[in-house]
Amino acid sequence: MKIQKLIVPALSLSLLLPAAGAFAATPATATPTVSTKAADLRSGLDYLLSEHFALAVVAMTKAYEGAPDAKQAYDALDQNALDMQPAIEAIYGKAGAAEFERIFRAHNKYTDNLVKATKMDNKAAIKKAEAQVQSFVDEFSKFLATATEGKLPQKAAAQALRLHEDQVQDVFEKYVAGDYTGAYAEYREGFATMFTVSKALSGAIVAQNPAKFNNGSVDTPAADLRSALNQLAAEHFALSVLQMQKQYDGDSKDSAALIKAEAGNTAAFKKAITSIYGAEGGNQFEKIWVTNHIKAQSDYVTALKKGDKTSLQAVKDRITDFTTEFSTFLGAATANNLPAAAAKKALVAHEDQVQMVIDNYAAKKYEAAYKADREGFKTMFGIGEALGGAIVKQYPAKFKMAAAAPMPAKPADASMMKVWMKLNSKQLKVGDKMTMMDTMPMVKNGTTYIPLRYLAEGIGAKVAWNKAAGQVTVMAGKDTMKFWVGKNTVDVNGKTQKIEAVSMVDSNGRTMVPLRSITELLGWDVKWNKSTGEITLTKSM
């Protein structure tokens, strides 16, 4: 295989939480490595937080179904919380760890309460459970801010926690509604969020305790690569195990949606490999990865369910061929910085753990299945360190920290503002910063409406509300606009104009305005993706 010149991987995740000063300065002359105390902390939080998300979704959906392994799924989720304690205690002592345990374990119970209330269609109980979840967001964000001495501000922590809880609930709600494709698309978004949270939290801890981490940094290019590979490998394991269980149970629609999600993970993995080793390397990866790995795992379930020992052995032989072929690929691609023998040992362990999960699941040994599941998930975090370490060693110049440069008076991309929203989603992205709204864009009578306050405040405008007059005033620079609820008119700098539809107040008490009208008045370009419901607004500033 011809290895093309390395392109720095576009794998790093955008930082969700604005923790100023969270990342220590690493000298540009230092030898790049994925294995530092700071990177280890980040990777450890990658593991624990992403596993929490994956197990929370499984525990909630299994409980809703009344599945025979629902208790074991919840027990695994609870054990994940307990397993976070040693890391917390090492930094914040026994008292800090005990307080962490009290708050964090309780919130697992709150989501369980939400499942039970949803299953009974008990509106009052649902509202109570949602209030409990919000109390967790408030209390835990305060704990994190206090523990990190403000390095992770409470407002930022609360914002991230609320986003996480909303994503878990969105997956569950779509699942309950039978929208499995939507549920697992949201699952992938929520899973990715946990890696941005781990980066922010680990950055705050390192900034608070620089000496404990050798004055290192969690956001070096090498640490970013390790974390991104962690995410891809762990997501692969989680989706594969869940898909195999659903296939074994005969949940064809759920299984099909998971196969689609797996394809998304494979595409992301291929993109990462391509960014390093070019299109040829990416194509070779995909062929090996899919044929005797992804497809073989599905064929394994089919043979297991039929009790066909001959077919089962044939599939195992294919999987063995995969471990040989893929380890050879990795050894060649990394110029033996990741030796083929070491890669094969790790791949064989991975495949054995996947098979152990489904074998125990089929035998109804659920406790053993979840034990193997957790061990297998954890194993994937060695991938980031091993493969990432080999790549960094292979191309050290590409992963050196850039020398500090004078801050420009204006960011290079300051001339363009970008805002992203999505129908039936509370997520709002302004530039690279993701926040949560308490309402969401909607379509009514053929008109798309967006929440005015969040759009305006997101772009730096000021908003005033006159309840008696039903009037909203938006002040953006030298321009002033006034909207009236129930009217299809707007006042722009003293001049009245008609808009396409009346402004209104939604069930959350937010003023909603017609998308097309407000963006035209503000001079924004609009891109509308009808199939996904995504709304992207851009404007030269």
Side-chain angles (χ1 to χ4, degrees), residues 104-336:
F104 201 83
R105 289 184 77 190
H107 107 280
N108 288 337
K109 185 64 178 175
Y110 298 155
T111 52
D112 188 51
N113 292 343
L114 180 61
V115 173
K116 292 174 181 176
T118 302
K119 194 169 184 178
M120 294 184 294
D121 195 25
N122 186 328
K123 299 293 192 298
I126 290 173
K127 189 173 182 179
K128 180 180 178 181
E130 289 176 341
Q132 288 176 322
V133 171
Q134 183 57 48
S135 71
F136 158 73
V137 170
D138 296 337
E139 187 174 20
F140 196 50
S141 61
K142 183 178 180 180
F143 168 83
L144 291 174
T146 301
T148 63
E149 298 175 320
K151 298 294 184 182
L152 183 58
Q154 183 176 357
K155 183 178 179 180
Q159 184 181 2
L161 291 168
R162 188 64 260 177
L163 173 60
H164 160 61
E165 294 298 337
D166 285 344
Q167 287 173 324
V168 171
Q169 291 177 32
D170 283 349
V171 175
F172 177 65
E173 288 169 4
K174 285 182 171 65
Y175 185 92
V176 169
D179 178 12
Y180 301 121
T181 297
Y184 292 115
E186 183 68 26
Y187 175 102
R188 295 196 66 215
E189 290 184 13
F191 191 84
T193 292
M194 304 313 288
F195 289 79
T196 61
V197 173
S198 66
K199 181 177 182 179
L201 180 55
S202 61
I205 293 171
V206 168
Q208 183 187 16
N209 305 279
K212 282 188 177 182
F213 297 94
N214 298 331
N215 295 308
S217 172
V218 303
D219 69 338
T220 65
D224 285 344
L225 174 65
R226 177 180 176 179
S227 183
L229 291 172
N230 283 346
Q231 180 186 335
L232 291 168
E235 183 186 57
H236 157 68
F237 182 88
L239 291 173
S240 293
V241 165
L242 194 52
Q243 188 280 321
M244 292 172 80
Q245 288 183 357
K246 296 295 184 177
Q247 182 184 343
Y248 188 86
D249 291 338
D251 296 339
S252 58
K253 291 183 179 180
D254 200 354
S255 177
L258 279 159
I259 289 172
K260 186 174 182 179
E262 281 188 280
N265 172 265
T266 297
F269 232 137
K270 179 183 178 181
K271 184 177 180 181
I273 297 297
T274 300
S275 74
I276 300 167
Y277 298 116
E280 184 181 346
N283 290 335
Q284 189 171 351
F285 159 82
E286 183 178 36
K287 182 179 179 181
I288 299 170
W289 186 258
V290 173
T291 307
N292 285 329
H293 181 47
I294 301 294
K295 289 182 179 178
Q297 288 178 342
S298 179
D299 293 341
Y300 184 94
V301 176
T302 300
L304 181 66
K305 194 170 183 179
K306 289 181 179 179
D308 187 339
K309 294 184 179 179
T310 301
S311 295
L312 196 62
Q313 186 57 52
V315 175
K316 287 183 177 181
D317 290 342
R318 285 170 55 198
I319 292 173
T320 298
D321 289 342
F322 159 73
T323 62
T324 300
E325 188 176 13
F326 194 51
S327 60
T328 301
F329 166 83
L330 291 174
T334 64
N336 210 40

Side-chain angles (χ1 to χ4, degrees), residues 331-411:
T334 64
N336 210 40
N337 282 293
L338 177 59
K344 183 170 182 176
K345 184 178 180 180
L347 289 167
V348 169
H350 162 60
E351 294 294 350
D352 286 347
Q353 287 167 330
V354 170
Q355 291 171 29
M356 193 178 298
V357 176
I358 193 63
D359 287 348
N360 280 306
Y361 184 83
K364 299 182 180 180
K365 297 178 181 178
Y366 301 125
E367 185 175 346
Y370 281 98
K371 180 180 179 182
D373 183 18
R374 295 200 65 215
E375 289 175 353
F377 187 87
K378 186 176 183 179
T379 293
M380 304 312 287
F381 288 80
I383 299 294
E385 185 169 12
L387 180 55
I391 293 170
V392 170
K393 188 176 179 181
Q394 185 180 12
Y395 300 104
K398 299 295 182 180
F399 292 91
K400 280 186 177 292
M401 291 288 287
M407 184 66 70
K410 208 174 198 180

Side-chain angles (χ1 to χ4, degrees), residues 452-465 472-477 479-483 522:
L452 177 62
R453 177 176 291 274
Y454 284 102
L455 172 64
E457 293 183 349
I459 62 176
K462 295 182 179 180
V463 180
W465 166 242
V472 181
T473 302
V474 180
M475 292 157 281
D479 297 319
T480 300
M481 291 185 294
K482 296 178 181 179
F483 292 85
L522 288 171

